Amino acid sequence: MNMKRKTKMKKSGLLVVVIILILFGGGIFYLSNQEDDGKFLLPKKEEKEITDFENLSLADAESYAKKKKYEIKTTYDYDENIEKDKIISGNLEDNVLNLVVSEGSIPIETFKEKKVNELGKVPIMMYHGIVNTTTNKYTGGNVDKDGYNRTSSAFAKDLEMYYEKGYRMIRLEDYINGVIDVELGYSPIILTFDDGNENNFKVTKKNEDGTFEFDPNSAIGVLEEFKKKHQDAKATATFFLNGGLCNQPQYNEDIVKWLVENGYDVGNHTISHVDFTKIGNEKTKEEVGKLYQKLDNIIPDKYVHIIALPFGSPYKKSHSNYPYIIEGEYNGYKYHSDAGLRVGWEPEVSPFNKDFDTSFLKRVRAYDNNGKEFDIQMTFNLLEKNRFISDGNKKLLTIPKSEEGKLKETELKLVKY
Ligand SMILES: [Zn+2]
């Protein structure tokens, strides 16, 4: 076949296609113009109603919902019999298609391998001052004899050590509410700071746009640096303040607002750092109520209803004024505390443990003592035997069978291995 002939045939073929298209198009045009009087309507193709969603793939269910103009809501669950990403069940309610999607069977072997134990212990670290010095004469990172204040570099190293060991910071408030959002195989850790020392959040400069800069060697400076370095982890802590708040009169309110807007929390450490065993009921209400009221005026609904007991006192919950630390009324202002923190010596139990008591929680002193007397090193060595290790799923509560006796009642799906 020569080229000319080939071109001619192509042209005539094209012509036929064009004619067919014109005729067909005209027909459609004719029919669609007849709709007004109801004659000659083309039957519309109806999408078949689905009533049983089990084993349908999520992708198919989504395209079905799209055709039917249903809104779709998915939740996930484990199922031994339904493959991953297929539907376990579905129902339609007011044009919303609610689907439960399978995550496959529970990965028991992985849980065993990672030693998941959601009844393990959780360290609530207690810090006070963070001091920028390299000439401290005390043990390790201690700045004073008892190690209540810590050097900035020791604090930065603590954060790295926690991270390396697989601990991830969570909010104290979440722990109290039994929400432990940590990836599979990782452990929660909680940071607290008492006394509102200036060196916790020292402002070095207020910018023209209203933002400010923190001393990089302050607790916030170190935490923010950690946050930049480890984008896969959170940096958070709860700061327990006294009447002097952040001890920087010109910035106090700004700092408190900044903290709660940037992933940190603020709680109550009493107005005058009072020893509760030395005061009566009325004074107790004033010390606790006034501080909550102060926070309410600056950051309403954004502070945590948690009190850290100054000096860790009283040592017993049976102390006569303890009920007023938790709940009371001062000058017509009502307050309550969801939790009370002691000056403890060891990690606390899991929020799923039947002995979990938010009103009297122990903390770990963040200090050095050559691996003795519950210092940081000793605490983290001991934790290797019984640390909380997450299954990475907020709906499951996974524990080794040997821990079962410690369990409190739970609405979560219990997984034992
Ligand atoms: Zn204190």
Side-chain angles (χ1 to χ4, degrees):
M1 209 183 273
N2 66 40
M3 284 302 288
K4 251 188 184 170
R5 197 174 151 78
K6 202 176 172 185
T7 316
K8 226 180 189 176
M9 272 193 70
K10 253 191 181 172
K11 272 188 182 163
S12 58
L14 194 67
L15 195 65
V16 171
V17 170
V18 170
I19 289 167
I20 288 170
L21 278 176
I22 288 168
L23 288 173
F24 184 70
I28 298 268
F29 181 73
Y30 173 76
L31 283 172
S32 63
N33 275 331
Q34 302 302 309
E35 279 189 15
D36 283 346
D37 60 13
K39 289 175 203 163
F40 309 118
L41 271 179
L42 286 174
K44 276 181 188 158
K45 207 186 160 209
E46 268 291 321
E47 185 66 32
K48 230 179 90 194
E49 287 289 346
I50 300 179
T51 49
D52 183 11
F53 292 90
E54 194 181 308
N55 263 317
L56 198 67
S57 78
L58 177 59
D60 285 349
E62 279 170 343
S63 74
Y64 168 73
K66 203 176 168 189
K67 278 180 200 153
K68 302 289 279 184
K69 295 198 167 66
Y70 295 148
E71 196 189 319
I72 203 161
K73 273 186 188 154
T74 50
T75 52
Y76 286 80
D77 203 353
Y78 287 106
D79 195 296
E80 297 295 323
N81 304 310
I82 310 274
E83 251 176 79
K84 189 172 156 50
D85 292 328
K86 288 200 168 178
I87 309 298
I88 298 171
S89 65
N91 69 67
L92 185 68
E93 227 183 285
D94 302 329
N95 281 328
V96 178
L97 187 56
N98 299 293
L99 298 173
V100 182
V101 186
S102 177
E103 292 195 285
S105 55
I106 292 168
I108 294 279
E109 286 310 311
T110 313
F111 290 166
K112 268 187 204 167
E113 192 187 306
K114 301 269 184 192
K115 296 183 177 149
V116 169
N117 178 11
E118 298 195 309
L119 276 174
K121 292 204 167 180
V122 179
I124 308 172
M125 306 306 293
M126 180 181 72
Y127 287 93
H128 287 80
I130 297 298
V131 185
N132 182 24
T133 175
T134 48
T135 56
N136 57 311
K137 56 183 192 285
Y138 299 100
T139 311
N142 300 353
V143 177
D144 53 294
K145 190 170 159 288
D146 294 322
Y148 274 91
N149 294 291
R150 195 147 180 80
T151 67
S152 306
S153 64
F155 176 53
K157 278 183 202 152
D158 293 345
L159 297 185
E160 289 302 324
M161 184 273 279
Y162 304 149
Y163 181 82
E164 288 306 321
K165 283 186 182 289
Y167 289 87
R168 295 293 180 265
M169 288 177 241
I170 65 162
R171 294 174 63 208
L172 175 62
E173 168 117 310
D174 285 343
Y175 163 74
I176 281 162
N177 292 319
V179 179
I180 302 214
D181 190 6
V182 179
E183 276 177 54
L184 168 65
Y186 289 88
S187 302
I189 185 169
I190 295 153
L191 265 54
T192 65
F193 289 83
D194 287 4
D195 301 351
N197 284 295
E198 184 190 26
N199 59 29
N200 285 179
F201 17 53
K202 176 147 179 67
V203 171
T204 50
K205 191 184 165 196
K206 187 166 184 175
N207 298 313
E208 276 177 12
D209 63 358
T211 60
F212 34 63
E213 286 160 31
F214 293 100
D215 177 353
N217 291 303
S218 67
I220 284 294
V222 174
L223 282 159
E224 288 294 297
E225 187 58 33
F226 174 90
K227 205 190 270 180
K228 268 187 230 155
K229 190 174 165 193
H230 301 289
Q231 312 249 329
D232 61 330
K234 276 186 205 133
T236 182
T238 304
F239 293 88
F240 290 95
L241 310 181
N242 302 112
L245 298 177
C246 306
N247 288 298
Q248 294 158 81
Q250 67 182 124
Y251 300 127
N252 273 340
E253 296 199 0
D254 286 342
I255 299 171
V256 171
K257 284 178 189 158
W258 185 93
L259 288 170
V260 297
E261 280 160 16
N262 286 276
Y264 299 95
D265 287 303
V266 174
N268 192 333
H269 198 41
T270 74
I271 285 287
S272 65
H273 205 276
V274 74
D275 182 341
F276 281 119
T277 58
K278 294 182 177 151
I279 58 171
N281 294 348
E282 288 312 306
K283 187 75 180 153
T284 299
K285 291 180 203 168
E286 182 182 338
E287 283 285 341
V288 179
K290 255 187 171 176
L291 204 282
Y292 277 134
Q293 198 171 20
K294 207 170 174 126
L295 297 178
D296 239 351
N297 288 335
I298 312 170
I299 40 170
D301 302 324
K302 286 184 176 166
Y303 61 94
V304 292
H305 292 257
I306 304 173
I307 184 161
L309 304 170
F311 313 104
S313 165
Y315 303 125
K316 282 182 181 160
K317 259 175 69 176
S318 55
H319 200 268
S320 59
N321 58 351
Y322 204 82
Y324 302 106
I325 296 173
I326 298 301
E327 197 153 13
E329 184 173 339
Y330 172 71
N331 262 358
Y333 176 81
K334 284 183 184 160
Y335 64 86
H336 78 274
S337 306
D338 297 327
L341 297 184
R342 311 162 75 181
V343 173
W345 56 96
E346 60 175 2
E348 255 301 343
V349 296
S350 154
F352 309 113
N353 188 306
K354 57 180 160 52
D355 295 331
F356 183 57
D357 177 4
T358 59
S359 68
F360 215 44
L361 293 167
K362 291 191 286 278
R363 289 188 283 175
V364 175
R365 271 178 64 195
Y367 83 119
D368 293 321
N369 199 358
N370 301 308
K372 290 179 306 197
E373 296 188 35
F374 298 94
D375 72 347
I376 297 178
Q377 191 189 330
M378 179 174 168
T379 298
F380 282 83
N381 283 341
L382 287 172
L383 272 167
E384 284 312 301
K385 289 182 206 144
N386 58 13
R387 67 195 257 190
F388 185 111
I389 299 177
S390 176
D391 60 20
N393 187 311
K394 276 179 277 178
K395 279 184 297 178
L396 295 185
L397 178 57
T398 305
I399 60 168
K401 279 189 184 125
S402 57
E403 298 279 285
E404 203 177 353
K406 298 177 188 169
L407 190 66
K408 76 171 184 190
E409 240 178 81
T410 176
E411 283 173 5
L412 300 176
K413 184 170 182 164
L414 184 64
V415 180
K416 292 180 278 183
Y417 68 86

